[in-house]
Amino acid sequence: QVQLVESGGELVQAGGSLTLSCAASGRTLSRYTMGWFRQAPGKEREFVAAAWRNTGYTYYRDSVKGRFTISRDNAKSTLALQMNNLQPEDTAVYYCAADQSLIRSNVRSAKGYAYWGQGTQVTVSS
């Protein structure tokens, strides 16, 4: 089993930057596909970015491409999300997720991930 703890969320002005971190414990991180999801009030949880297990190949939702960067450090068992040029529509609770058996077609689906953190709030003011 994997335990995930996010940190780094805070209030930031539009155009600003934040880096979210996810600390993982319990298993060898390299065997897990890791992802970031977010959920705004009244909306469904949505995919943000993912880094595939072993290879680290990355995936992004279209609206964050060029602004957000996902990275993983398997030796330190951490996952990061560098977010630049933040916009009010990026406001949400951001969740770290992991799964060892995910298939590529499900990489953008929250249902594909077995392990979740508690979330960290990101608020972008206009």
Side-chain angles (χ1 to χ4, degrees):
Q1 193 160 354
V2 176
Q3 293 80 43
L4 304 171
V5 179
E6 304 95 333
S7 61
E10 60 182 72
L11 172 65
V12 64
Q13 288 189 335
S17 298
L18 277 178
T19 299
L20 304 182
S21 296
C22 174
S25 61
R27 289 291 185 271
T28 303
L29 192 63
S30 63
R31 298 177 182 176
Y32 289 77
T33 294
M34 305 293 296
W36 288 99
F37 288 76
R38 66 188 182 188
Q39 188 166 17
K43 295 186 177 182
E44 292 189 356
R45 192 168 298 189
E46 64 181 20
F47 170 78
V48 176
W52 193 254
R53 59 180 176 268
N54 297 326
T55 67
Y57 187 84
T58 56
Y59 303 80
Y60 296 93
R61 72 178 295 108
D62 287 345
S63 64
V64 308
K65 285 181 181 178
R67 299 191 298 125
F68 291 11
T69 302
I70 187 172
S71 60
R72 59 192 298 165
D73 186 331
N74 291 332
K76 296 181 179 180
S77 294
T78 57
L79 181 75
L81 184 68
Q82 172 68 43
M83 304 185 294
N84 297 324
N85 190 24
L86 283 160
Q87 300 301 313
E89 53 266 32
D90 295 317
T91 295
V93 177
Y94 282 70
Y95 296 91
C96 175
D99 196 273
Q100 190 175 10
S101 304
L102 191 69
I103 59 175
R104 289 187 185 273
S105 60
N106 286 342
V107 69
R108 293 176 172 82
S109 172
K111 295 180 180 179
Y113 294 79
Y115 303 104
W116 292 84
Q118 83 290 347
T120 186
Q121 176 71 48
V122 173
T123 304
V124 185
S125 63
S126 58

